[in-house]
Amino acid sequence: DAKTTQPPSMDCAEGRAANLPCNHSTISGNEYVYWYRQIHSQGPQYIIHGLKNNETNEMASLIITEDRKSSTLILPHATLRDTAVYYCIVRWLASTPLVFGKGTRLSVIA
Amino acid sequence: GAVVSQHPSRVICKSGTSVKIECRSLDFQATTMFWYRQFPKQSLMLMATSNEGSKATYEQGVEKDKFLINHASLTLSTLTVTSAHPEDSSFYICSARATKTSTETQYFGPGTRLLVL
């Protein structure tokens, strides 16, 4: 699976959009980009995933660059409850388990 | 969305005893479940992959005789920490893969915090 690079931490003001970047320059054509988050002392929560096209659901939007070497997770209106560690994971085969890196610690500030 | 439960959520045990943790997929069938471990201020580390009806596959460095995994049905997997020691104290998280989706998303349980005294 391709390696991902994320900033260790970010701050965001409550009510503003949180844009979390992820670099995956070695991604291959059949690898998906997944985003999960982990709120303190809880299990990871699935947010969104995509292959080539931008994706949106009730939680977030995922923007994947045309060359697929990077992506951005967007939380449109961050709340205090969005404070968590966000993990960007690239997975080659659907049958392989998710492998977690260090993620980005997002702090939403009132 | 898919729901995964774990029981117990928290357990304290004496050194040398065994502890069993249950992981259930509540509203979907999961032919594959995964067990992770997380130490304080660290990321999740995959311990093993469990397929229903077959032996689990352990990651390098994880002792299969110490961490017994049973996946007897499509909705239940158990992790037994045998002869627990203080260094086994950690946050154990299971994950189940929903097999009916094209990209086989993994869903995670809430975790079990184990403290070995």
Side-chain angles (χ1 to χ4, degrees):
Chain A
D1 293 334
K3 183 180 177 180
T4 62
T5 303
Q6 298 178 253
S9 64
M10 292 181 64
D11 292 339
C12 178
E14 188 178 20
R16 306 295 283 266
N19 297 281
L20 293 96
C22 179
N23 182 287
H24 32 79
S25 58
T26 60
I27 193 170
S28 64
N30 56 355
E31 288 184 300
Y32 283 82
V33 179
Y34 286 81
W35 282 84
Y36 283 76
R37 73 180 182 184
Q38 186 177 27
I39 295 171
H40 183 62
S41 294
Q42 297 183 26
Q45 177 188 21
Y46 166 77
I47 301 174
I48 199 167
H49 72 275
L51 181 62
K52 295 180 181 179
N53 301 321
N54 298 337
E55 303 287 341
T56 296
N57 61 21
E58 64 278 4
M59 287 184 67
S61 294
L62 173 60
I63 308 298
I64 303 174
T65 58
E66 193 169 343
D67 62 8
R68 302 186 72 238
K69 292 185 177 181
S70 65
S71 61
T72 301
L73 178 74
I74 301 173
L75 308 178
H77 305 286
T79 70
L80 297 179
R81 283 183 283 186
D82 292 321
T83 292
V85 178
Y86 287 77
Y87 297 97
C88 168
I89 302 168
V90 170
R91 189 169 71 170
W92 179 43
L93 292 173
S95 60
T96 58
L98 293 169
V99 176
F100 288 79
K102 296 182 179 179
T104 295
R105 182 172 297 277
L106 175 69
S107 298
V108 180
I109 303 167
Chain B
V3 179
V4 178
S5 71
Q6 279 185 246
H7 178 79
S9 59
R10 186 185 298 265
V11 58
I12 301 173
C13 70
K14 293 182 179 179
S15 185
T17 61
S18 294
V19 174
K20 179 186 285 189
I21 302 170
E22 290 188 351
C23 175
R24 295 181 184 271
S25 56
L26 297 185
D27 52 0
F28 66 98
Q29 292 185 332
T31 56
T32 305
M33 289 186 173
F34 308 92
W35 287 94
Y36 293 79
R37 180 169 54 180
Q38 185 175 34
F39 292 108
K41 298 187 178 181
Q42 295 186 21
S43 189
L44 284 78
M45 291 172 42
L46 179 67
M47 297 176 67
T49 300
S50 166
N51 290 297
E52 186 263 339
S54 63
K55 290 183 179 181
T57 302
Y58 292 82
E59 295 299 302
Q60 191 172 11
V62 178
E63 299 176 57
K64 64 178 182 180
D65 295 329
K66 180 169 185 61
F67 299 99
L68 301 179
I69 293 172
N70 182 278
H71 191 168
S73 78
L74 289 174
T75 59
L76 173 65
S77 176
T78 61
L79 168 69
T80 301
V81 182
T82 63
S83 187
H85 291 285
E87 57 264 31
D88 298 323
S89 298
S90 188
F91 191 47
Y92 292 86
I93 307 168
C94 75
S95 176
R97 187 165 61 208
T99 57
K100 290 188 177 180
T101 62
S102 60
T103 53
E104 301 188 355
T105 300
Q106 274 183 237
Y107 296 95
F108 289 81
T112 296
R113 192 162 298 282
L114 170 64
L115 176 60
V116 184
L117 301 177

